[in-house]
Structure formats: C-alpha cells, structure tokens
C-alpha cells in the first residue's frame, strides 16, 4: 500500500569501492523490494566497465560506451580507459537521464561505476545525482565490505565516507556494510548498531587521530546523519528490512538535508 | 644541510583519485626536492596499471604484476583485473617492501594505484603504509584535482578525505590540490590558505549538511590536522616549497599522530 503514499519515483544510487558488492546487492535488494514491498523496481547500470550484471538493466550506459571499446579504439590502458569512458558517460548524461526519466517504476536502483571515485570524485556523479533528485526522491547507498571496518577508527572512516558522499552528491546518504554473512561481521555489529559503542572503543585507541575521529563521530551523531549502519547480505537478505526502513524514513521525513 | 638532521629515510605515499595527477606530481616534486634540498630521491611505483611514468622507478611493482597481464591471463575485464592485480601486489608485498628497504635514498616517493580506493579501501594500502612507517618517517600526500573543490562543501570533503587517509593508512596525511596552474584555482586559494574563510563560506551554504561540514572543519582545525592545503602545480612548481615545509614540519615535530 506504500506505493499509494509516494507520488514520485524513488532513486537509490548505489556507490562503493571496487569489490564492495554493489551490483550483487543492487540485484538482491531490488528483488527483495519487489517481493516484500510490492513496488515496481527498475535497474540502471551506469558502469561502462561492467562485465555482466545479475539484474536485467532497464537503462544501460553500455549502450553508449564500454571500457573495452574505449581501450581498443583509443589505445588506452585500463586506468586511462576507465576515466575516458566515464568522461563519455558524462558527455551523454542528457540521453541517459532522459531514459531514466521515462522509466515507469516506483523504485529505481542506480548502479554506479566499479570504482567509486569515478563517480564521487568526477563531475559525472554530482551532475547525475542532482538531476535524479529533480526527478524524484533520491538518496545514496554507500556500500563497504564489512572487512574494511576492522578497527574502531577504520569503522569511523566509513561513516565519514557516508558524509563525503552526501556532501558531494547532494542527496542523503546511508552507509551499509556488505557481505554481512562473512565471518567477522559480528564484531562490527556493535559499532553499527550503537554510535555510543563506537565512541567508547575509539577512546581505547591511542593517538590524537582516534580522538579526532571520536569528535567527528560525536558531531555526526548530533546531526543524526548516517547514525545507523545496517550490515547487509545479498546472500541471506540480512539487513534488507532495516536498510529499507532507513531509506523510507529519509524519503518520508527529510526536508532539506542537503 | 637538512640531510644531516635526518637519520632515516622519509617516505611520501602519494594517494589520490584517478586523474588527480599523482604520477606527474611525483616526478616533478621529486626533481624539485633533488634540486632544491640536495636530497637523494628514489621513486617507487605501486601501480600495476601504470602505462608509463615520467620518472624512472627504482622499485616497480610491474616487475611482478601488470593489469594487462592479469586481464589476458585470467580473462578478466578492466574492473576485475584492477582488483585482482592489487590483490597480487598485496600477496607479494614482502618482496616489494624488501626492495624499498634496500633503497639508499633520503627521500622516497611512493606512487600508488591509479584508483585511490584500491589503496585506501583495500588491505594492501594500510599494510604497506604500516611497514613504511617502520622503515622511516612516513606520511601520505592526498592529492585532488583543484576542480573538485568548486563549492565550500566540496572543498570540505577533500579535507575530510585527508582525515580518512590518515585514519586508514595510520600515517600523517597532507591534502594538496593539483593542477594549480589551471583556471579557477584562485577561487579555491582562499579556502586553502584559511580554514576560517572556508568556515565563513560554509555558513553561506544552505542546509544541515553544510552546517555539519562546518562543525567537522572546526574540529579538524582544533586538532590542527591537515589545516593547510597547498595548491600545487607540476607544471610551474607552484606550492612545492609550501608542501615541502609542511612535510618537514610533520616529520620533525610530530610525535604520535596516529
């Protein structure tokens, strides 16, 4: 019934470093939303370097540009070709966005380039994100492999990255930890559930940088941004309900978060 | 004469997103240090995807692994091959570090993978950084193209990234803005020189996220970390003296920054 409450499409921009499991999560979370929320879900692939996707893209940037073609045609290596192909996506963003705007879906999952910096620290990411926010309710999901959160200060960096994503893309960002089915995820769970537990453990780490990280976490808590960090698993579906609820809260309640 | 004051080698780990100009800066800054400080400079290339480097690497990870070979031998696309080749570098880090330890240089510039997340958000970066810190005085240079700093909040994200680099690599990090010779660099200069100017301009941006960014910048100022952000140019040499002085201060003065 939730569909009736929402007049415009919801756009979820999935961002995260190479290997964080963005594409796998996009497919699994999309399926979960279809099955559990009864929403029509559409998939957008913005990664010109994607080999294959476990979902069928409704809009696929590879129609216009692929990294493989750029490598071949322009004689570039992988590094150069990745940048050049994202430049091409940026140049053709009008066509891409027009296709996205024409999707008749309730919930649109937007999968981004394998390397997150080609979206976050390139002009294409903010430009596309701003346009999506005009089409409907847009937010970003900042995904990290749970293994990157081994220490309290490393965990704090992932929360900081959520803020970085929010400031750059100018839409609310939620941090989630992927591969929650893997060993070691439990240790991280306590920090994910409780910003207070994270602060306590940061205090036990020596050095002024940990102290500063604690201060920043405190400030972020106070602004109640990205405070809850769901640990999700595309394998078991763990954390999907929590993630969906957080997104729903943002979309229904947030005013001017940017 | 400075060489006499330093008993151990200095390691500068140059990190930054694809296209930020790490490799060009590594070469130009290295040459500047040789000519202006009379130090013996050595160059380490940790990017298995580098096509060519404007410096002659004294240690080159491509001796062990190249992205091109991984693509061919394992039938991977560029995205997968980049991750797989950094995994290989990680597996062989013992050999790489042994070669680095054997360099008879005063100042070692360590150039990292084209995509910064393959260093910052991969186990290889922190592992290599920790070992370098045992060999000598290590710090990180977090480099961004000046065009990524267009608005006060975007500028603030780059300072936050310096903190993220510091927390992940566990060495002091300095943020610098590259391509300072390009148009538009002047506007950024005021924020770079004065954290106070940045705070004032953040206040003019609407929204709670900018307010939060302001709070974080205040906290970072208070801990006097990454407060000065040199705008550098590999073309003109602009900012090299300031960058060197900041690094020298860190190496001479810092106690336990991590």
């Amino acid at each position: 019934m939730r569909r009736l409450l929402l007049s415009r499409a919801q756009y979820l921009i999935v961002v995260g470093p190479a290997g964080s499991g963005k594409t796998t999560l996009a497919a699994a979370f999309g399926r979960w939303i279809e099955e559990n929320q009864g929403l029509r879900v559409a998939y957008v692939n913005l990664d010109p370097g994607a080999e294959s996707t476990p979902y069928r893209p409704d809009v696929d940037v590879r129609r216009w540009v692929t990294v493989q073609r750029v490598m071949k045609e322009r004689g570039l290596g992988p590094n150069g070709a990745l940048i050049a192909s994202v430049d091409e996506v940026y140049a053709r963003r009008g066509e891409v966005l027009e296709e996205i705007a024409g999707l008749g879906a309730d919930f649109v999952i937007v999968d981004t380039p394998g390397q997150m910096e080609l979206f976050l620290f390139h002009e294409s990411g903010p430009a596309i994100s701003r346009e999506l926010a005009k089409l409907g309710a847009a937010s970003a999901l900042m995904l990290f492999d749970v293994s990157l959160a081994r220490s309290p200060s490393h965990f704090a960096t992932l929360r900081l990255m959520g803020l970085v994503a929010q400031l750059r893309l100018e839409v609310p960002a939620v941090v989630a930890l992927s591969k929650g089915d893997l060993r070691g995820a439990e240790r991280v769970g306590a920090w994910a559930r409780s910003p207070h537990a994270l602060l306590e453990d940061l205090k036990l780490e020596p050095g002024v940088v940990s102290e500063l990280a604690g201060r920043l976490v405190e400030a972020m808590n106070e602004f109640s941004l990205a405070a809850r960090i769901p640990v999700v698993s595309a394998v078991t579906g763990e954390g999907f309900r929590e993630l969906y609820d957080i997104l729903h809260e943002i979309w229904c309640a947030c005013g001017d978060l940017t």
Side-chain angles (χ1 to χ4, degrees), chain A:
Chain A
M1 299 284 38
R2 266 181 182 157
R3 195 193 308 183
L4 300 176
L5 299 172
L6 299 160
S7 53
R8 299 190 304 166
Q10 302 168 57
Y11 297 90
L12 182 64
I13 307 165
V14 184
V15 189
S20 59
K22 292 184 287 298
T23 302
T24 310
L25 185 93
F29 190 47
R31 210 165 35 241
W32 184 91
I33 292 171
E34 278 177 0
E35 289 168 6
N36 291 275
Q37 303 297 321
L39 297 176
R40 289 168 302 169
V41 176
Y43 301 87
V44 174
N45 172 47
L46 292 183
D47 183 5
E51 295 296 304
S52 65
T53 57
Y55 53 81
R56 197 183 51 73
D58 298 284
V59 177
D60 193 339
V61 88
R62 290 173 298 178
R63 205 181 109 187
W64 293 279
V65 49
T66 68
V67 177
Q68 297 283 13
R69 181 174 62 70
V70 170
M71 284 181 75
K72 207 173 289 174
E73 286 182 9
R74 298 172 58 177
L76 293 169
N79 275 341
L82 279 167
I83 301 177
S85 56
V86 173
D87 286 345
E88 272 195 49
V89 170
Y90 179 65
R92 313 199 68 153
R93 66 193 183 282
E95 292 162 82
V96 178
L97 284 158
E98 199 172 277
E99 282 215 359
I100 296 175
L103 290 170
D106 307 303
F107 196 105
V108 181
I109 299 187
V110 182
D111 198 7
T112 62
Q115 273 72 23
M116 77 173 164
E117 63 202 66
L118 293 175
F119 197 75
L120 280 189
F121 295 104
H122 183 280
E123 53 205 338
S124 69
I128 290 172
S129 169
R130 266 194 299 268
E131 292 304 316
L132 292 178
K134 289 179 195 163
L135 294 176
S139 58
L141 172 62
M142 179 96 237
L143 197 67
F144 290 102
D145 185 317
V146 72
S147 71
L148 288 171
R150 288 220 175 94
S151 68
S153 59
H154 278 194
F155 186 93
T157 61
L158 307 187
R159 278 196 65 184
L160 283 173
M161 286 307 297
L163 180 68
V164 167
Q166 185 150 339
L167 286 165
R168 293 205 77 81
L169 301 180
E170 300 174 29
V171 295
V174 174
V175 178
L177 300 175
S178 62
K179 308 181 188 176
D181 50 294
L182 297 185
R183 214 161 43 87
E186 321 79 48
R187 282 191 56 227
V188 172
W191 302 326
R193 277 187 303 273
S194 159
H196 185 73
L198 176 61
L199 276 176
E200 288 304 307
D201 285 348
L202 272 171
K203 281 181 194 147
L204 301 176
E205 274 193 0
V208 296
V209 176
S210 292
E211 196 185 330
L212 171 56
R215 283 283 298 277
L216 299 183
V217 168
E218 274 176 332
M220 286 194 282
N221 290 347
E222 198 184 313
F223 283 80
S224 54
L225 287 172
R228 280 155 65 199
I229 298 192
V231 179
V232 298
S233 164
V235 177
T236 65
E238 173 195 338
F240 281 1
R241 157 66 55 192
E242 186 184 0
L243 174 58
Y244 187 82
D245 286 347
I246 294 173
L247 293 171
H248 195 72
E249 277 171 38
I250 290 174
W251 283 324
C252 294
C254 83
D256 176 24
L257 263 177
T258 53

